[in-house]
Amino acid sequence: MMIGRPKPPPLNAAAKLNEHARTRPSVNLAPAEVPAIGIAEPGGKLVPLVIHRREPGPRDVVIEVEYCGLCHSDVHAGRGEWGAKRLPLVLGHEMVGIVSHTGAEVTDMPIGSRVGVGCLVDSCRDCEACTAGEEQFCTASVATYGARDPRTGEYTQGGYATRIVVDAGYVLRIPDALDPAAAAPLLCAGITAYSPLRHHQVGPGTRVGVLGLGGLGHMAVKLAAAMGAEVSVLTRGSAKRESALHLGASSVIDTLDAEQLHKAADSLDLLIDTVSAPHDIGLYLKTLRRDGALVQLSLPEGPMPAFDTRALVFKRLSYTGSLIGSIAETQQMLDFCAENQVKCDIELVGAEGLNEAWDRMVAADVKYRFVLDAATVGRNETQQQSEGA
């Protein structure tokens, strides 16, 4: 389900830029000055800002942002829950937009093409992780926001904005078959779920469990089902049962029901854990078959409870984690989603609704991801009211 404006018909390159110019607010700013929404003071709400983007170099791509997904990690970072960040800070690492300029050395991203930017905008390119094509594990990788940019010495600012400048090596191609708004969360939630499924070679005959059915969990269900796996959703209570089955699950296990958990013992090859609160994984290791694996995708606030390690030893189980994916794997994921008609279920919001959307995310009041319509960034209240009349 997608709430918001319907998917527009395909546009050629020139028409895309003309449409973008028509919907973008008119602002009297230098090219490097960009309207944005971000946190200006500790503990503050999201407010309008003007940020500076770097002068594009020969390998850079200038992208006019159309949509940016809202990730729960944006809330953690913006509210200082993962430690203090340098302010002002513009969040957002799930961008889809249109190429408006490329450097002289960029030959494969035509003006007017639709592209995406995820969680990384640079890395060292020389370490073992980078040379292996696993730049997400580079210890010198540059996050899309809140990280020091080695080119300029300034701190990166994210996608709650109208424009971004990114090295072409970290820009993704968005297939035409994907709705651009619904594609935005794929650049974080999509790849975070896809990478461990591929790493553990999920396919027909694999039994996959998904613990938690939020923004990340619903993508894990859709992707695993599209790969041909038999999917079970583990969730508290029965409120999400119909939703889980609609998303592609073949069964739903109520984790509050001891009998259902007992019946699920030794039934899964892989369990994807998306629960963001501290929880006892010992309960869920019992659902795994011999040589099964539990993959931790979420970053709970606070330490996880201890568990009996005999659960691992006696069935040769693995307890592991996974972190987004490489640029190449992210492109593979986008192409897979286009080929298999997999998309994120979203609710589209304007800039004026961002603070409310953050509060609703914390309350788990969204099915299943919010996406910012970047055309609303920089518009004043009078413009918004006149367009809504």
Side-chain angles (χ1 to χ4, degrees), residues 26-48:
S26 177
V27 289
N28 184 22
L29 297 173
E33 296 182 313
V34 177
I37 304 289
I39 302 294
E41 57 185 28
K45 289 186 175 294
L46 292 158
V47 295

mmCIF file of all heavy atoms in Angstrom, residues 26-48:
data_model
loop_
_atom_site.group_PDB
_atom_site.id
_atom_site.type_symbol
_atom_site.label_atom_id
_atom_site.label_comp_id
_atom_site.label_asym_id
_atom_site.label_seq_id
_atom_site.Cartn_x
_atom_site.Cartn_y
_atom_site.Cartn_z
ATOM 1 N N SER A 26 10.662 28.030 -5.762
ATOM 2 C CA SER A 26 11.529 29.083 -6.282
ATOM 3 C C SER A 26 12.248 29.758 -5.121
ATOM 4 O O SER A 26 11.623 30.311 -4.221
ATOM 5 C CB SER A 26 10.692 30.112 -7.048
ATOM 6 O OG SER A 26 11.510 31.161 -7.493
ATOM 7 N N VAL A 27 13.579 29.663 -5.104
ATOM 8 C CA VAL A 27 14.362 30.259 -4.031
ATOM 9 C C VAL A 27 15.516 31.036 -4.626
ATOM 10 O O VAL A 27 16.118 30.631 -5.599
ATOM 11 C CB VAL A 27 14.897 29.176 -3.067
ATOM 12 C CG1 VAL A 27 13.787 28.592 -2.239
ATOM 13 C CG2 VAL A 27 15.604 28.059 -3.810
ATOM 14 N N ASN A 28 15.801 32.175 -4.030
ATOM 15 C CA ASN A 28 16.866 33.039 -4.516
ATOM 16 C C ASN A 28 18.153 32.713 -3.769
ATOM 17 O O ASN A 28 18.574 33.407 -2.850
ATOM 18 C CB ASN A 28 16.486 34.506 -4.308
ATOM 19 C CG ASN A 28 17.523 35.448 -4.901
ATOM 20 O OD1 ASN A 28 18.277 35.054 -5.790
ATOM 21 N ND2 ASN A 28 17.553 36.673 -4.400
ATOM 22 N N LEU A 29 18.779 31.585 -4.164
ATOM 23 C CA LEU A 29 19.981 31.126 -3.496
ATOM 24 C C LEU A 29 21.053 30.812 -4.521
ATOM 25 O O LEU A 29 20.766 30.471 -5.657
ATOM 26 C CB LEU A 29 19.692 29.867 -2.670
ATOM 27 C CG LEU A 29 18.701 29.997 -1.499
ATOM 28 C CD1 LEU A 29 18.422 28.631 -0.918
ATOM 29 C CD2 LEU A 29 19.258 30.922 -0.431
ATOM 30 N N ALA A 30 22.306 30.894 -4.087
ATOM 31 C CA ALA A 30 23.413 30.468 -4.938
ATOM 32 C C ALA A 30 23.308 28.958 -5.157
ATOM 33 O O ALA A 30 22.715 28.251 -4.345
ATOM 34 C CB ALA A 30 24.731 30.823 -4.271
ATOM 35 N N PRO A 31 23.883 28.428 -6.243
ATOM 36 C CA PRO A 31 23.737 26.996 -6.541
ATOM 37 C C PRO A 31 24.168 26.082 -5.400
ATOM 38 O O PRO A 31 23.608 25.007 -5.223
ATOM 39 C CB PRO A 31 24.648 26.810 -7.766
ATOM 40 C CG PRO A 31 24.674 28.143 -8.419
ATOM 41 C CD PRO A 31 24.603 29.149 -7.307
ATOM 42 N N ALA A 32 25.173 26.479 -4.618
ATOM 43 C CA ALA A 32 25.663 25.616 -3.546
ATOM 44 C C ALA A 32 24.789 25.670 -2.298
ATOM 45 O O ALA A 32 24.963 24.871 -1.397
ATOM 46 C CB ALA A 32 27.097 26.003 -3.179
ATOM 47 N N GLU A 33 23.865 26.597 -2.231
ATOM 48 C CA GLU A 33 23.008 26.741 -1.060
ATOM 49 C C GLU A 33 21.686 26.015 -1.308
ATOM 50 O O GLU A 33 20.988 26.278 -2.286
ATOM 51 C CB GLU A 33 22.770 28.215 -0.747
ATOM 52 C CG GLU A 33 24.052 28.940 -0.353
ATOM 53 C CD GLU A 33 23.791 30.386 0.006
ATOM 54 O OE1 GLU A 33 23.073 31.059 -0.776
ATOM 55 O OE2 GLU A 33 24.298 30.842 1.035
ATOM 56 N N VAL A 34 21.348 25.122 -0.407
ATOM 57 C CA VAL A 34 20.256 24.171 -0.640
ATOM 58 C C VAL A 34 19.251 24.206 0.510
ATOM 59 O O VAL A 34 19.645 24.085 1.677
ATOM 60 C CB VAL A 34 20.842 22.749 -0.779
ATOM 61 C CG1 VAL A 34 19.733 21.724 -0.941
ATOM 62 C CG2 VAL A 34 21.811 22.680 -1.958
ATOM 63 N N PRO A 35 17.962 24.365 0.230
ATOM 64 C CA PRO A 35 16.951 24.254 1.283
ATOM 65 C C PRO A 35 16.935 22.844 1.862
ATOM 66 O O PRO A 35 17.073 21.857 1.130
ATOM 67 C CB PRO A 35 15.641 24.555 0.552
ATOM 68 C CG PRO A 35 16.038 25.273 -0.687
ATOM 69 C CD PRO A 35 17.371 24.715 -1.070
ATOM 70 N N ALA A 36 16.746 22.753 3.174
ATOM 71 C CA ALA A 36 16.761 21.458 3.847
ATOM 72 C C ALA A 36 15.914 21.529 5.113
ATOM 73 O O ALA A 36 15.449 22.604 5.509
ATOM 74 C CB ALA A 36 18.196 21.050 4.175
ATOM 75 N N ILE A 37 15.729 20.373 5.742
ATOM 76 C CA ILE A 37 15.064 20.268 7.036
ATOM 77 C C ILE A 37 15.995 19.483 7.951
ATOM 78 O O ILE A 37 16.492 18.418 7.573
ATOM 79 C CB ILE A 37 13.721 19.512 6.932
ATOM 80 C CG1 ILE A 37 12.796 20.177 5.906
ATOM 81 C CG2 ILE A 37 13.048 19.414 8.297
ATOM 82 C CD1 ILE A 37 12.243 21.509 6.332
ATOM 83 N N GLY A 38 16.264 20.005 9.149
ATOM 84 C CA GLY A 38 17.176 19.293 10.030
ATOM 85 C C GLY A 38 17.075 19.742 11.467
ATOM 86 O O GLY A 38 16.209 20.535 11.848
ATOM 87 N N ILE A 39 17.997 19.230 12.288
ATOM 88 C CA ILE A 39 18.080 19.562 13.699
ATOM 89 C C ILE A 39 19.115 20.675 13.875
ATOM 90 O O ILE A 39 20.264 20.529 13.456
ATOM 91 C CB ILE A 39 18.487 18.340 14.541
ATOM 92 C CG1 ILE A 39 17.495 17.192 14.352
ATOM 93 C CG2 ILE A 39 18.602 18.713 16.016
ATOM 94 C CD1 ILE A 39 16.109 17.459 14.879
ATOM 95 N N ALA A 40 18.701 21.771 14.501
ATOM 96 C CA ALA A 40 19.585 22.920 14.650
ATOM 97 C C ALA A 40 20.176 23.041 16.046
ATOM 98 O O ALA A 40 21.212 23.677 16.230
ATOM 99 C CB ALA A 40 18.841 24.210 14.295
ATOM 100 N N GLU A 41 19.522 22.450 17.051
ATOM 101 C CA GLU A 41 20.012 22.560 18.421
ATOM 102 C C GLU A 41 19.713 21.279 19.175
ATOM 103 O O GLU A 41 18.750 20.564 18.840
ATOM 104 C CB GLU A 41 19.367 23.747 19.138
ATOM 105 C CG GLU A 41 17.849 23.706 19.177
ATOM 106 C CD GLU A 41 17.241 24.951 19.789
ATOM 107 O OE1 GLU A 41 17.857 26.027 19.702
ATOM 108 O OE2 GLU A 41 16.135 24.837 20.354
ATOM 109 N N PRO A 42 20.522 20.940 20.188
ATOM 110 C CA PRO A 42 20.317 19.687 20.920
ATOM 111 C C PRO A 42 18.908 19.600 21.495
ATOM 112 O O PRO A 42 18.405 20.549 22.102
ATOM 113 C CB PRO A 42 21.358 19.764 22.047
ATOM 114 C CG PRO A 42 22.420 20.683 21.524
ATOM 115 C CD PRO A 42 21.694 21.696 20.689
ATOM 116 N N GLY A 43 18.270 18.468 21.246
ATOM 117 C CA GLY A 43 16.921 18.253 21.750
ATOM 118 C C GLY A 43 15.845 18.975 20.976
ATOM 119 O O GLY A 43 14.660 18.893 21.333
ATOM 120 N N GLY A 44 16.219 19.687 19.915
ATOM 121 C CA GLY A 44 15.248 20.456 19.149
ATOM 122 C C GLY A 44 14.498 19.620 18.126
ATOM 123 O O GLY A 44 14.846 18.482 17.836
ATOM 124 N N LYS A 45 13.459 20.234 17.576
ATOM 125 C CA LYS A 45 12.672 19.586 16.539
ATOM 126 C C LYS A 45 13.296 19.838 15.173
ATOM 127 O O LYS A 45 14.216 20.659 15.031
ATOM 128 C CB LYS A 45 11.238 20.110 16.570
ATOM 129 C CG LYS A 45 10.437 19.643 17.791
ATOM 130 C CD LYS A 45 8.990 20.068 17.676
ATOM 131 C CE LYS A 45 8.157 19.500 18.821
ATOM 132 N NZ LYS A 45 8.063 18.021 18.745
ATOM 133 N N LEU A 46 12.783 19.178 14.173
ATOM 134 C CA LEU A 46 13.205 19.415 12.796
ATOM 135 C C LEU A 46 12.706 20.781 12.349
ATOM 136 O O LEU A 46 11.529 21.107 12.514
ATOM 137 C CB LEU A 46 12.641 18.324 11.884
ATOM 138 C CG LEU A 46 13.216 16.921 12.099
ATOM 139 C CD1 LEU A 46 12.259 15.871 11.569
ATOM 140 C CD2 LEU A 46 14.576 16.795 11.433
ATOM 141 N N VAL A 47 13.604 21.572 11.765
ATOM 142 C CA VAL A 47 13.270 22.932 11.353
ATOM 143 C C VAL A 47 13.856 23.201 9.969
ATOM 144 O O VAL A 47 14.805 22.533 9.546
ATOM 145 C CB VAL A 47 13.813 23.971 12.357
ATOM 146 C CG1 VAL A 47 13.141 23.818 13.714
ATOM 147 C CG2 VAL A 47 15.336 23.862 12.485
ATOM 148 N N PRO A 48 13.334 24.195 9.244
ATOM 149 C CA PRO A 48 13.922 24.563 7.948
ATOM 150 C C PRO A 48 15.346 25.080 8.120
ATOM 151 O O PRO A 48 15.654 25.823 9.051
ATOM 152 C CB PRO A 48 12.988 25.661 7.431
ATOM 153 C CG PRO A 48 11.699 25.448 8.166
ATOM 154 C CD PRO A 48 12.091 24.941 9.522
#
